Amino acid sequence: MKKVSLLGATGSIGDSAIDVIKQHSDQFQLHSIAARSQWKKVLQLAKEFNVKRICIFDEQAGKELSKELGFPVLTGIEGLRELASEPEVDIVINALMGAVGCLPTLSAIEQGKHVALANKETMVMAGPVIQDALKNNPKSFITPIDSEHSAIFQCLSGRPKTEVENLQITASGGPFRDWSQDRFESITVADALNHPVWSMGKKITIDSASMMNKGLEVIEAHFLFDIPYDQIKVVVHPQSMIHSLVQFRDGSLMAQLGAPDMRIPIQVALTWPERLPLNSPRLDLASLSQFTFFAPDFQKFRCLALAFEAGKRGGVVPAMMNAANEVLVDHFLEGKLKFVDIPRHIENIMAKAPSISGRLDLKQALEADTEARKMAASLF
Ligand code: MG
């Protein structure tokens, strides 16, 4: 029986992870749960799974839950780190949203855990730090949950990177795929929240609309699979049935397909290299009329171009881009800036990023994150 710590239990990945754990209750036990602030939902889960180790990031919400449960719950970043490093836990599912997920990932690695990683900001903010931590803690390993990275992980199947010609990350293109650039000025919050394929949290839905999400995934893929940026491509595939591909040096192109259902990559991340049955919708190829592909428009989707640039510049630039984006997306959701202003401000903040000598360390990553948040917040 493997004990699981689920960080980000109340979001859409959390829901799917809980369903996978339920379908395999003979193999996985929910040991601990963390959430940002939805304490009522956590209360329900705690009762259903008899979970005693709980963290609510938001202190006030944590107090409410403690009162209700009759025992104290952890709060804040230290609480998240504690749940990520619980001695009894075998697998940490990190489905936290945003840069707050970085330190818990690191804690889990330092304790030699298996990390099933859905928090892409971990790798964007501190990729080299995570790579070094994995090297120093050989018992620990990461399996990706993000559907694209799960697809690449499955296509690679442990093949050495020397055999890889390139990684091809697919993108749905989001709700503005077919909009002309002159309409971008008038994009509303409601337009941007209307994702054609996936139903997700607000932040990642906006990131999908701007294609920043794909940009973050490019950087995540670079660090997870240790593949240079000029060997990572993005291809728009509106049907979102091919979740990503690997081009090998012998000309073979491997793809992973499946219904767009996050339970599949979550289960792969938990059970790899085994494959267990999963009760979920199947892809019926004969019922699909067509598969289409085209190159992304880097003019329309400036965020995607900026992410490639941030990745190639390296150092603190990805961390600063990511932090600025988080703040700007919040402000966009509050109606304080236009959709087209998101990349404009990110570009300005990236231009101010200091260059560092040597390999990025944790302190530099955290400082860059704080600094970029300040810069972005000072615009309002
Ligand atoms: Mg994804």
Side-chain angles (χ1 to χ4, degrees):
M1 183 72 99
K2 291 206 164 138
K3 291 186 175 156
V4 177
S5 184
L6 175 56
L7 313 181
T10 55
S12 67
I13 298 284
D15 290 342
S16 297
I18 282 165
D19 188 72
V20 170
I21 290 169
K22 271 188 186 166
Q23 289 197 36
H24 301 289
S25 56
D26 55 331
Q27 305 214 18
F28 300 106
Q29 182 198 337
L30 196 56
H31 174 278
S32 35
I33 48 179
R36 182 174 290 263
S37 59
Q38 287 187 55
W39 66 270
K40 285 181 182 162
K41 190 164 173 184
V42 171
L43 178 66
Q44 249 173 15
L45 290 171
K47 283 182 176 160
E48 185 181 350
F49 293 92
N50 192 26
V51 174
K52 297 272 186 273
R53 297 293 284 159
I54 297 164
C55 172
I56 302 287
F57 183 75
D58 181 86
E59 202 163 328
Q60 197 49 44
K63 276 184 192 159
E64 301 278 353
L65 182 59
S66 294
K67 237 190 281 167
E68 206 67 38
L69 282 166
F71 61 83
V73 303
L74 301 165
T75 57
I77 187 72
E78 283 313 312
L80 294 176
R81 296 192 80 166
E82 206 170 318
L83 286 199
S85 42
E86 284 279 336
E88 277 183 48
V89 162
D90 303 288
I91 307 176
V92 175
I93 300 179
N94 185 345
L96 296 166
M97 195 278 292
V100 73
C102 182
L103 289 173
T105 301
L106 208 52
S107 299
I109 293 171
E110 284 163 356
Q111 295 304 312
K113 308 284 186 210
H114 168 187
V115 182
L117 187 66
N119 176 264
K120 59 193 76 174
E121 291 87 350
T122 286
M123 289 313 241
V124 173
M125 190 179 157
V129 180
I130 302 296
Q131 285 180 331
D132 293 347
L134 286 167
K135 245 176 240 162
N136 296 331
N137 296 277
K139 262 179 67 191
S140 178
F141 60 98
I142 293 179
T143 51
I145 284 183
D146 212 346
S147 60
E148 293 79 2
H149 304 78
S150 175
I152 292 167
F153 182 75
Q154 293 178 63
C155 292
L156 282 172
S157 257
R159 301 306 308 166
K161 62 177 183 177
T162 49
E163 293 180 359
V164 174
E165 202 162 274
N166 57 52
L167 308 180
Q168 303 188 10
I169 301 179
T170 53
S172 72
F176 309 128
R177 186 186 63 227
D178 301 323
W179 285 38
S180 63
Q181 195 162 2
D182 50 19
R183 290 180 68 196
F184 271 48
E185 278 286 329
S186 65
I187 287 171
T188 65
V189 173
D191 293 333
L193 286 176
N194 183 25
H195 196 275
V197 181
W198 298 94
S199 158
M200 308 170 289
K202 280 185 181 174
K203 196 263 178 181
I204 189 171
T205 304
I206 301 301
D207 283 349
S208 299
S210 69
M211 289 193 79
M212 177 55 92
N213 183 55
K214 211 47 56 181
L216 298 176
E217 289 177 357
V218 166
I219 299 173
E220 183 187 11
H222 166 77
F223 287 117
L224 273 178
F225 304 112
D226 205 19
I227 297 289
Y229 287 103
D230 56 10
Q231 285 168 255
I232 303 176
K233 300 182 187 322
V234 172
V235 58
V236 179
H237 166 50
Q239 295 79 20
S240 294
M241 299 297 175
I242 296 179
H243 299 304
S244 277
L245 314 90
V246 175
Q247 173 76 66
F248 287 95
R249 62 181 173 183
D250 59 5
S252 285
L253 188 58
M254 302 287 286
Q256 187 262 341
L257 289 76
D261 184 328
M262 285 309 292
R263 289 175 298 179
I264 301 172
I266 290 167
Q267 180 163 303
V268 168
L270 294 181
T271 67
W272 189 263
E274 247 190 292
R275 287 191 185 270
L276 299 184
L278 180 70
N279 183 7
S280 67
R282 297 298 188 255
L283 198 57
D284 176 18
L285 289 177
S287 75
L288 299 170
S289 53
Q290 58 174 356
F291 268 11
T292 49
F293 304 94
F294 49 93
D297 184 335
F298 288 98
Q299 289 296 320
K300 255 170 36 175
F301 297 102
R302 280 291 300 149
C303 285
L304 183 57
L306 289 171
F308 267 103
E309 187 197 317
K312 286 178 182 169
R313 280 176 64 192
V316 297
V317 186
M320 291 189 73
M321 178 199 74
N322 176 61
N325 180 58
E326 276 185 33
V327 174
L328 293 164
V329 167
D330 269 349
H331 283 88
F332 170 70
L333 285 167
E334 288 167 17
K336 291 184 190 159
L337 84 165
K338 285 196 282 190
F339 189 75
V340 288
D341 288 336
I342 297 175
R344 200 165 58 79
H345 291 313
I346 291 174
E347 191 166 8
N348 290 337
I349 290 169
M350 278 171 57
K352 293 182 191 131
S355 56
I356 57 164
S357 58
R359 201 161 159 82
L360 180 76
D361 65 31
L362 181 62
K363 189 166 168 279
Q364 290 168 326
L366 294 172
E367 280 173 4
D369 178 87
T370 307
E371 190 52 36
R373 273 169 213 278
K374 271 191 216 153
M375 287 180 184
S378 74
L379 297 165
F380 303 94

